[in-house]
Amino acid sequence: MRYTIFGESHGSAIGVVLEGVPAGLELDMTTMKKDLSRRSPKPDGLSTARREADEVQVLSGLFEGKTTGAPLCLVIQNSDQHSTDYEALRYTPRPSHGDYAGFIASKGCLDYRGGGHFSGRLTAPLAAAGAVAKQLLAQRGIWVAAHISSIYGILDRSWEDVEELRTAAAKPFPVLDDAKGEEMKTAILEARQGQDSVGGSIECVVCGLPAGLGAPDFGRNVEGIFSQHLFAVPAVKAVAFGAGVGFAYMRGTEANDPFEVKDGKVLTKTNWAGGINGGITNGMPVVFETTLRPTPSIGLPQESVDLRTGEEVEIEIAGRHDPCVVHRAVPVIEAAAALAACEVLGI
Amino acid sequence: MRYTIFGESHGSAIGVVLEGVPAGLELDMTTMKKDLSRRSPKPDGLSTARREADEVQVLSGLFEGKTTGAPLCLVIQNSDQHSTDYEALRYTPRPSHGDYAGFIASKGCLDYRGGGHFSGRLTAPLAAAGAVAKQLLAQRGIWVAAHISSIYGILDRSWEDVEELRTAAAKPFPVLDDAKGEEMKTAILEARQGQDSVGGSIECVVCGLPAGLGAPDFGRNVEGIFSQHLFAVPAVKAVAFGAGVGFAYMRGTEANDPFEVKDGKVLTKTNWAGGINGGITNGMPVVFETTLRPTPSIGLPQESVDLRTGEEVEIEIAGRHDPCVVHRAVPVIEAAAALAACEVLGI
Amino acid sequence: MRYTIFGESHGSAIGVVLEGVPAGLELDMTTMKKDLSRRSPKPDGLSTARREADEVQVLSGLFEGKTTGAPLCLVIQNSDQHSTDYEALRYTPRPSHGDYAGFIASKGCLDYRGGGHFSGRLTAPLAAAGAVAKQLLAQRGIWVAAHISSIYGILDRSWEDVEELRTAAAKPFPVLDDAKGEEMKTAILEARQGQDSVGGSIECVVCGLPAGLGAPDFGRNVEGIFSQHLFAVPAVKAVAFGAGVGFAYMRGTEANDPFEVKDGKVLTKTNWAGGINGGITNGMPVVFETTLRPTPSIGLPQESVDLRTGEEVEIEIAGRHDPCVVHRAVPVIEAAAALAACEVLGI
Amino acid sequence: MRYTIFGESHGSAIGVVLEGVPAGLELDMTTMKKDLSRRSPKPDGLSTARREADEVQVLSGLFEGKTTGAPLCLVIQNSDQHSTDYEALRYTPRPSHGDYAGFIASKGCLDYRGGGHFSGRLTAPLAAAGAVAKQLLAQRGIWVAAHISSIYGILDRSWEDVEELRTAAAKPFPVLDDAKGEEMKTAILEARQGQDSVGGSIECVVCGLPAGLGAPDFGRNVEGIFSQHLFAVPAVKAVAFGAGVGFAYMRGTEANDPFEVKDGKVLTKTNWAGGINGGITNGMPVVFETTLRPTPSIGLPQESVDLRTGEEVEIEIAGRHDPCVVHRAVPVIEAAAALAACEVLGI
């Protein structure tokens, strides 16, 4: 299964084509809608004021409710666009956005309106594709769940069993510890008030992958496959498996996962490895954390350059922005993980 | 250019085939030798006692000293093998090694001797492939340099200009601050004395990549491409670009890189983004950090399971092991980065 | 550049997503329209009576008339559908159609209406994608032209210079020798009258590809790349380069192309090799012939099997069919060749 | 499974790396040896006088006789080389060889000795890789068999049942009709006497592929997959499935394959489609024919050009050449078909 996301923030529509979807899958549009709704901005001050219905239209690959194996094309119409907000920024790239890099890459032919193809809005078709992947995984007893592990340095607590993780993932503000969640919200609102933004991190778990998938080699390595999917999510700047960056502070005696046998199954007592050894799944849950940068769109004046004249200029970004994308990104990280898991499984 | 590494720790030879190497490259075997020597274990107590000449033989793709464009096959003979050390561990996987996952993946047909195809020894052909990639990059004014950024929580200082970084990378123990390097060595030797091991991290910089390479999309995203190459290096468990996991603690005002114009060039005053925005290079150095886990091979008794009987057993790992692989991995990370940079450039 | 075609004959829309289109191409929708019109059925009795506007809508990847480098999604709405014609054939596959193979591949979830995703109608987005590819080639002085080389054993004459070939390609019935063209039309009309169909062949030429592209190896071989693109065109059953199947009847002295020097350029006096030696372009025009099978949709009664009961049954295909697809396939073969040429060029 | 062939005719060794070989395959070196012996030149005047042992050495991926799933590297040493034969031709490309195209592609850095990487000798590792593929197919009840269908216009008769085809394939000169085989041999010897060469064709059958594999789409189309593998065999210039180029002379009533039910299985009474409809297997044997050009190496004087001076020159090719490669290519076509079948099966 291979996916291609297309569209621009202020174009007529955005969408995704999934090639190689197994035939015979009864596509559950309700769970897809749910995932899209999880990532859509709410009128709670924590997100952009842009509102989109995110109605998914199936153009192809589905017949009488079931996938046919032919490419599945899912399209979402755009509507609530304020393109004029961006006119002023056409030649003055916003710091740390894709504007400048995209301008060079596109030889100046960038659709600059609302981030164009770089927009976080493109995560809607990714979530839709992920919903298809999740259904294929569910058929095999595999599920994916994520929660906010931190925002602006405020950490959620660790999960103890997988059920509480799934419960947390389904919350409107997906944290295990709601008190911590309130602190995070306050941090977001404060950032917003200061015309600023905040970053954070998401922890994600894939449960049910059998042992023995993958290989140590480039191209077949499970960590490599997951990371390539995850870095395609806008704002993700780090991917860490198991103990992650913590390994740099550990000894082998601390980091090694002792084996045990439970109900005839070979397990490990701890899971610092995050379910992967030597690039291959070991049967334990695949666990990883992604770090998301603070939204580069902030209201304060910033230093830019006029790409026509080469002169340094000060800009101010108008428009409706997210002071934080971490909470909205939770289903998107799950989607990328689900698509990665499908690739690992050879689906 | 695509590479395939083959071989096992205790097989007759290890090697790599590089497909798509541009023709006409005068292959510099001296710099290749140098990179291989940087990763080879030294008799300093910081590494395994295994000694290999790591003499690279070119089987194909080279004629009169120049690449022909046909697949380049590089082979290194194995010699210093103590296969009997591993006999006892055949059916009792070493915790946090690839043994168990590999046993399942190979349906029990694993070459268990010395880690087989999972062995760190396979990084020798990777370093050789990286040396080819580095030469191709050098022709375009691009270079790669890495240093140990931490071992067991002892941090090297930050680099200030690229020249001191290149100098550090070339050191026998590649750190910027040699005093910190001595502390790290002490930590390694202490771990070794305790039959234990330690983890750490490597920071790597790719200088000279032009702006505008890559795309935000899956499969063409620069961070995605780098990460897939990096996770194929054994022991790497986290990859973080620019400010990396630090982004989770930052505000947009701190994390955004203001633009400036210098000598007619568009630059950014800071480089928290690590040279990549929206999955595309922005012309600043590509900077990332990888975390490497402590070597799972430790001398202390550990809990395993007998895969024949399904019973829990205690094992002790004999043989010659690295108490830390971080210092030896520096040229390997550079190699993976160089191969990734070639992919990004469409070489 | 990679393309994915989606859609079904009787779905809401068909289309294509092109990934990796170079930025800055001023997309010429007029020549695209022309290619689509060349493949569309005309009311001349030589083709199906189905009529479609084939209006191409650009969903993404185009801004102010130029490609942005982001995925280009082209969509064509379906309209003139008679789905009920196919109801009766749902479980009784039409001989030599994709029906049976598709039924098995889709686990019974086939969109059987009008051939579904197997329909010749899907060549419309292919022609559209080819029009993009042709424009990219034109920028490099490369063009593609094809003509009907035979229908039901009636052969067009050989081309002598490239100009007459381009003129022929642009004709409503693309042959060099119009008298032969009339014979072919008669053969088609006769087949139609007999509720039958006829096959034929198309010769295609790609002019302007520089020498030195490709490699002898699997995956990079120019003949291999072209053939994979060409066999994705429905009805194509054979692909032959240069002298093609004629080589089996030749001696080396006849088949070898002697070198000559003209205006300082190395050319060959003959071009039996079809512009490719050892899997690499030699600078001469790339010439190949594809054979297209007679349309399997014929009006006469045919032997099928009821897939529900496993019993042999006789079927009659209602609906509107092409008694021959060769003349309509000319721009489609050109499209596949143009996409292949782009791949060979690394576009 | 993906393969990369490396080596040059006059280098130290040639070989192949197979990635993704399923673990647990007991590698049968005897049948591999047999296939290599089928393609090796015999002292019968029908082939080159070059003699090589073609001893396959397994460098990696095999442990205790079984594949481990790690890359399998097979190497064959070169020995019987007369490199000086080629010195004179270094800058005067042999007509219709890869010399000129290869010279340009390699920017002048071509290993010109004995065809270098373009040499027919590289089909030895291809045959070895094919032997691995054949074993994997055999486990699934699938086999591949080919025979010479024509040499210089002399046609072998058609096969009637699969058993006689397998018998023919195993013959030293693999034809169904030995009398025709003698005629072919005479044609080869006559060509040789005239310092000339002859072309021909090979028909190949893959039996046992289940229905429902593949897709109509580019990249997943069974005919496209097979053709890409087949065109990577040197000298192949045409690939035709089922009735092949004959379709151009047929009506639908002749070309359509009527269904029948036998022993509860859906079959077709004829197999003009060659086992593939709409790019998907239909359960009937996959049948195709490849055309091989006459060997371009002929002893007669030929017109070339001196690439240093740009002047036209006459050359004579010394050395030991094959007056025909068709008979030696039979196991090589089988190998390519077996590798294609594995790709189609997702092995």
Side-chain angles (χ1 to χ4, degrees):
Chain A
M1 205 164 70
R2 215 184 57 182
Y3 76 92
T4 309
I5 284 174
F6 58 85
E8 284 83 32
S9 177
H10 290 217
S12 62
I14 55 178
V16 64
V17 176
L18 282 146
E19 216 180 338
V21 182
L25 176 74
E26 203 158 327
L27 204 59
D28 182 350
M29 301 302 283
T30 313
T31 64
M32 187 187 284
K33 214 181 170 77
K34 217 172 279 178
D35 269 357
L36 282 166
S37 151
R38 286 168 74 203
R39 76 156 279 294
S40 71
K42 275 106 205 157
D44 52 9
L46 301 171
S47 312
T48 170
R50 182 171 177 178
R51 295 289 166 268
E52 297 272 4
D54 287 352
E55 202 76 59
V56 175
Q57 186 193 357
V58 183
L59 279 200
S60 67
L62 197 73
F63 184 60
E64 299 181 341
K66 286 184 184 167
T67 56
T68 65
L72 184 73
C73 183
L74 308 175
V75 168
I76 300 169
Q77 300 298 321
N78 284 329
S79 54
D80 186 18
Q81 304 155 350
H82 294 189
S83 297
T84 46
D85 288 348
Y86 298 92
E87 200 60 50
L89 298 172
R90 178 159 192 173
Y91 297 104
T92 50
R94 296 166 296 172
S96 295
H97 260 287
D99 297 4
Y100 172 68
F103 186 87
I104 302 297
S106 70
K107 298 169 199 157
C109 300
L110 191 71
D111 183 350
Y112 62 91
R113 302 165 306 164
H117 185 59
F118 294 80
S119 168
R121 179 142 177 72
L122 273 292
T123 56
L126 179 50
V132 178
K134 282 179 182 177
Q135 267 195 264
L136 292 164
L137 296 175
Q139 292 183 329
R140 289 154 180 85
I142 301 163
W143 53 262
V144 182
H147 71 114
I148 304 168
S149 48
S150 79
I151 283 180
Y152 196 47
I154 301 152
L155 275 64
D156 194 13
R157 69 166 170 79
S158 303
W159 53 281
E160 267 157 45
D161 65 89
V162 292
E163 277 318 309
E164 70 164 350
L165 180 65
R166 298 186 80 171
T167 307
K171 290 182 189 173
F173 196 84
V175 283
L176 292 152
D177 182 337
D178 292 326
K180 288 290 174 185
E182 290 308 312
E183 285 182 48
M184 293 176 188
K185 286 183 193 174
T186 305
I188 297 173
L189 292 171
E190 277 174 10
R192 188 188 171 213
Q193 214 144 13
Q195 302 196 60
D196 211 335
S197 64
V198 284
S201 58
I202 292 168
E203 185 191 39
C204 182
V205 176
V206 184
C207 253
L209 282 172
L213 301 172
D217 308 298
F218 172 69
R220 302 170 65 213
N221 184 292
V222 173
E223 281 149 332
I225 290 170
F226 267 85
S227 70
Q228 197 170 35
H229 281 271
L230 291 162
F231 278 115
V233 176
V236 170
K237 295 298 282 186
V239 173
F241 292 86
V245 294
F247 279 122
Y249 299 79
M250 290 165 94
R251 289 195 162 209
T253 38
E254 299 166 289
N256 282 4
D257 299 306
F259 284 105
E260 65 175 347
V261 179
K262 250 189 186 163
D263 306 327
K265 278 189 195 158
V266 177
L267 306 173
T268 57
K269 289 186 176 175
T270 50
N271 187 18
W272 298 118
I276 303 166
N277 295 124
I280 301 180
T281 55
N282 65 12
M284 295 297 290
V286 168
V287 182
F288 59 87
E289 188 171 54
T290 57
T291 307
L292 287 90
R293 58 170 303 139
T295 335
S297 283
I298 56 176
L300 296 170
Q302 291 186 93
E303 297 166 59
S304 179
V305 55
D306 190 315
L307 296 173
R308 290 162 301 189
T309 62
E311 270 165 36
E312 298 183 350
V313 291
E314 199 181 81
I315 60 163
E316 274 181 55
I317 306 177
R320 304 161 296 173
H321 307 292
D322 288 277
C324 181
V325 294
V326 179
H327 50 300
R328 292 183 57 196
V330 168
V332 181
I333 292 296
E334 285 180 13
L339 289 158
C342 283
E343 184 177 337
V344 165
L345 283 157
I347 297 178
Chain B
M1 205 162 71
R2 215 185 56 183
Y3 76 93
T4 308
I5 285 174
F6 58 85
E8 284 83 32
S9 177
H10 291 218
S12 62
I14 55 178
V16 63
V17 177
L18 281 145
E19 215 181 340
V21 182
L25 177 73
E26 204 159 326
L27 204 59
D28 182 350
M29 301 301 284
T30 314
T31 64
M32 188 186 286
K33 215 181 169 77
K34 217 172 279 176
D35 269 358
L36 283 165
S37 151
R38 287 169 72 203
R39 77 156 280 294
S40 71
K42 275 106 205 157
D44 52 9
L46 302 171
S47 312
T48 171
R50 182 172 177 177
R51 297 287 167 266
E52 295 274 4
D54 287 352
E55 203 76 57
V56 176
Q57 186 193 359
V58 183
L59 279 200
S60 67
L62 197 73
F63 185 60
E64 299 180 343
K66 286 183 181 166
T67 57
T68 65
L72 185 73
C73 183
L74 308 175
V75 168
I76 300 169
Q77 301 297 322
N78 283 329
S79 53
D80 185 19
Q81 304 157 351
H82 294 188
S83 297
T84 45
D85 287 349
Y86 297 93
E87 200 60 48
L89 298 172
R90 177 158 194 175
Y91 298 103
T92 51
R94 296 166 298 172
S96 295
H97 260 287
D99 297 5
Y100 172 69
F103 187 87
I104 302 298
S106 70
K107 297 169 200 155
C109 300
L110 191 70
D111 183 349
Y112 62 91
R113 302 165 306 163
H117 184 61
F118 295 79
S119 168
R121 178 140 177 74
L122 274 291
T123 57
L126 179 49
V132 178
K134 281 179 182 176
Q135 266 197 265
L136 292 164
L137 296 175
Q139 292 183 329
R140 289 155 181 84
I142 300 162
W143 53 263
V144 182
H147 71 114
I148 303 168
S149 48
S150 80
I151 283 180
Y152 196 47
I154 302 152
L155 275 63
D156 194 14
R157 69 165 169 81
S158 303
W159 53 281
E160 268 156 43
D161 64 88
V162 292
E163 277 319 308
E164 69 164 351
L165 180 65
R166 297 185 81 171
T167 307
K171 291 180 189 173
F173 195 84
V175 284
L176 292 152
D177 182 337
D178 293 326
K180 288 289 175 186
E182 289 310 312
E183 286 183 47
M184 293 176 188
K185 286 182 192 175
T186 305
I188 297 172
L189 292 171
E190 277 174 10
R192 189 190 171 213
Q193 214 143 15
Q195 302 196 59
D196 211 336
S197 64
V198 284
S201 60
I202 291 169
E203 186 191 39
C204 182
V205 177
V206 184
C207 253
L209 281 172
L213 302 171
D217 308 297
F218 172 69
R220 302 170 66 212
N221 185 292
V222 173
E223 280 149 331
I225 291 170
F226 268 84
S227 69
Q228 197 170 33
H229 281 272
L230 291 162
F231 278 115
V233 177
V236 170
K237 294 298 281 186
V239 174
F241 293 87
V245 295
F247 279 123
Y249 298 79
M250 290 166 92
R251 289 197 164 208
T253 38
E254 298 165 289
N256 282 4
D257 299 306
F259 284 105
E260 65 176 348
V261 179
K262 249 188 186 163
D263 306 328
K265 277 189 197 160
V266 176
L267 304 174
T268 57
K269 290 185 175 176
T270 50
N271 186 19
W272 298 119
I276 302 167
N277 295 124
I280 302 180
T281 55
N282 66 12
M284 296 296 290
V286 168
V287 182
F288 60 86
E289 189 171 54
T290 57
T291 307
L292 287 89
R293 59 169 302 139
T295 335
S297 282
I298 55 176
L300 296 170
Q302 293 185 92
E303 296 166 60
S304 179
V305 56
D306 190 314
L307 297 173
R308 289 162 302 189
T309 62
E311 270 166 36
E312 299 183 350
V313 291
E314 199 182 81
I315 59 163
E316 273 181 55
I317 306 177
R320 304 161 297 174
H321 306 293
D322 289 277
C324 181
V325 294
V326 180
H327 50 299
R328 290 183 59 196
V330 168
V332 181
I333 292 296
E334 285 180 14
L339 289 158
C342 284
E343 183 177 338
V344 165
L345 284 157
I347 298 179
Chain C
M1 204 162 71
R2 214 184 58 181
Y3 75 93
T4 308
I5 285 173
F6 58 85
E8 284 82 31
S9 177
H10 291 217
S12 62
I14 56 178
V16 65
V17 176
L18 282 146
E19 215 180 338
V21 182
L25 177 73
E26 203 158 324
L27 204 59
D28 182 349
M29 300 302 284
T30 314
T31 64
M32 187 187 285
K33 213 180 171 77
K34 218 172 277 176
D35 269 358
L36 282 167
S37 151
R38 286 168 73 202
R39 77 156 281 291
S40 72
K42 276 105 206 159
D44 52 9
L46 301 171
S47 312
T48 171
R50 181 171 177 177
R51 298 286 167 268
E52 295 274 4
D54 286 353
E55 204 75 59
V56 175
Q57 187 193 355
V58 183
L59 279 200
S60 66
L62 198 73
F63 183 61
E64 298 180 344
K66 288 184 182 165
T67 56
T68 64
L72 184 72
C73 182
L74 308 175
V75 167
I76 300 169
Q77 300 298 321
N78 284 328
S79 54
D80 186 18
Q81 304 156 349
H82 294 187
S83 297
T84 46
D85 288 349
Y86 297 91
E87 200 60 49
L89 299 172
R90 177 158 193 175
Y91 298 104
T92 51
R94 295 165 297 172
S96 295
H97 260 288
D99 297 4
Y100 172 68
F103 186 87
I104 303 299
S106 70
K107 297 170 199 155
C109 301
L110 191 70
D111 183 349
Y112 62 91
R113 303 164 305 163
H117 185 59
F118 294 79
S119 168
R121 180 145 177 71
L122 274 292
T123 57
L126 180 49
V132 178
K134 282 178 181 177
Q135 267 195 262
L136 292 165
L137 296 175
Q139 292 183 330
R140 288 154 181 84
I142 301 163
W143 53 263
V144 183
H147 71 114
I148 304 168
S149 48
S150 81
I151 284 180
Y152 197 46
I154 301 153
L155 274 63
D156 194 14
R157 70 166 170 79
S158 303
W159 53 281
E160 269 156 42
D161 63 87
V162 291
E163 278 318 307
E164 69 165 352
L165 180 67
R166 298 186 81 171
T167 308
K171 290 181 189 174
F173 196 83
V175 284
L176 293 152
D177 183 337
D178 292 327
K180 287 290 176 186
E182 290 309 312
E183 284 182 48
M184 292 175 188
K185 286 181 192 174
T186 305
I188 297 172
L189 292 170
E190 276 174 12
R192 190 190 171 210
Q193 215 145 14
Q195 302 196 59
D196 211 336
S197 65
V198 285
S201 59
I202 291 169
E203 185 191 39
C204 183
V205 176
V206 184
C207 254
L209 281 172
L213 301 171
D217 308 297
F218 173 70
R220 302 170 65 211
N221 185 293
V222 174
E223 282 148 331
I225 290 169
F226 267 85
S227 69
Q228 197 170 34
H229 281 272
L230 291 163
F231 278 115
V233 177
V236 169
K237 294 297 281 186
V239 172
F241 292 86
V245 294
F247 278 121
Y249 298 79
M250 291 166 92
R251 288 193 165 212
T253 39
E254 299 167 288
N256 281 4
D257 299 308
F259 284 104
E260 66 176 348
V261 179
K262 251 189 186 163
D263 306 328
K265 276 189 197 162
V266 177
L267 304 174
T268 57
K269 289 185 177 175
T270 51
N271 186 19
W272 297 119
I276 302 166
N277 295 124
I280 302 180
T281 55
N282 65 11
M284 297 294 292
V286 168
V287 182
F288 61 86
E289 189 171 54
T290 57
T291 307
L292 288 89
R293 58 170 302 139
T295 336
S297 283
I298 56 176
L300 296 169
Q302 293 186 92
E303 296 167 60
S304 180
V305 57
D306 189 314
L307 296 172
R308 290 162 301 189
T309 63
E311 270 166 37
E312 299 183 351
V313 291
E314 199 181 81
I315 59 161
E316 274 181 56
I317 305 177
R320 303 159 298 172
H321 307 293
D322 289 276
C324 181
V325 295
V326 180
H327 50 298
R328 290 182 58 194
V330 168
V332 181
I333 292 296
E334 285 180 14
L339 289 158
C342 284
E343 184 177 338
V344 165
L345 283 156
I347 298 177
Chain D
M1 204 163 72
R2 214 183 58 180
Y3 76 93
T4 307
I5 284 173
F6 59 85
E8 285 82 31
S9 178
H10 290 217
S12 62
I14 57 178
V16 64
V17 176
L18 281 146
E19 214 180 340
V21 182
L25 176 74
E26 203 159 327
L27 204 59
D28 182 350
M29 300 303 283
T30 314
T31 65
M32 188 187 285
K33 214 179 170 78
K34 218 173 277 178
D35 269 358
L36 283 166
S37 152
R38 286 169 73 202
R39 76 157 280 292
S40 71
K42 276 105 205 159
D44 52 9
L46 301 171
S47 312
T48 172
R50 182 171 177 176
R51 298 287 167 267
E52 296 273 4
D54 287 351
E55 204 76 57
V56 175
Q57 185 193 357
V58 183
L59 279 199
S60 66
L62 197 73
F63 184 61
E64 298 180 343
K66 287 185 183 166
T67 57
T68 64
L72 184 73
C73 183
L74 308 175
V75 167
I76 299 169
Q77 301 297 322
N78 284 329
S79 54
D80 186 17
Q81 304 157 350
H82 294 188
S83 297
T84 47
D85 288 349
Y86 297 92
E87 199 59 50
L89 297 172
R90 176 158 193 175
Y91 297 104
T92 51
R94 296 165 297 173
S96 295
H97 261 287
D99 297 4
Y100 172 68
F103 187 87
I104 302 298
S106 70
K107 297 170 198 154
C109 301
L110 191 70
D111 183 349
Y112 61 91
R113 302 165 307 163
H117 184 61
F118 294 80
S119 168
R121 179 144 177 71
L122 273 292
T123 58
L126 179 50
V132 178
K134 280 177 182 177
Q135 267 196 263
L136 291 165
L137 296 175
Q139 292 183 330
R140 289 155 179 84
I142 302 163
W143 53 262
V144 182
H147 71 114
I148 304 169
S149 49
S150 81
I151 283 180
Y152 196 46
I154 301 152
L155 275 63
D156 193 14
R157 70 166 170 80
S158 303
W159 53 281
E160 267 155 44
D161 64 87
V162 293
E163 277 318 309
E164 68 164 352
L165 179 66
R166 298 186 80 170
T167 308
K171 291 181 188 173
F173 196 84
V175 285
L176 293 152
D177 183 337
D178 292 327
K180 289 289 176 186
E182 290 308 313
E183 285 183 47
M184 293 176 188
K185 286 182 191 172
T186 306
I188 297 172
L189 292 170
E190 276 175 12
R192 190 190 171 212
Q193 214 144 15
Q195 302 195 57
D196 212 336
S197 65
V198 285
S201 58
I202 291 168
E203 186 190 39
C204 183
V205 177
V206 184
C207 254
L209 282 172
L213 301 171
D217 308 298
F218 172 70
R220 302 170 65 212
N221 183 294
V222 174
E223 282 148 331
I225 290 169
F226 268 84
S227 69
Q228 196 169 34
H229 281 271
L230 291 161
F231 278 115
V233 177
V236 169
K237 295 297 282 186
V239 173
F241 292 86
V245 295
F247 279 123
Y249 298 79
M250 290 166 93
R251 289 195 164 209
T253 39
E254 298 167 288
N256 282 5
D257 299 307
F259 284 104
E260 66 176 348
V261 179
K262 251 186 186 165
D263 306 327
K265 276 188 195 161
V266 177
L267 305 173
T268 57
K269 291 184 174 175
T270 51
N271 187 18
W272 298 118
I276 303 165
N277 295 125
I280 301 181
T281 55
N282 65 12
M284 296 294 291
V286 168
V287 182
F288 60 86
E289 189 172 54
T290 57
T291 307
L292 287 89
R293 58 169 304 138
T295 336
S297 283
I298 56 176
L300 295 170
Q302 294 187 91
E303 297 166 60
S304 180
V305 57
D306 190 316
L307 296 173
R308 289 162 302 187
T309 63
E311 270 166 38
E312 298 183 352
V313 292
E314 201 182 78
I315 59 162
E316 273 180 58
I317 306 177
R320 304 160 297 173
H321 306 293
D322 289 277
C324 181
V325 295
V326 180
H327 51 297
R328 292 182 58 195
V330 167
V332 181
I333 293 295
E334 286 180 12
L339 289 158
C342 284
E343 183 177 337
V344 165
L345 283 157
I347 297 177

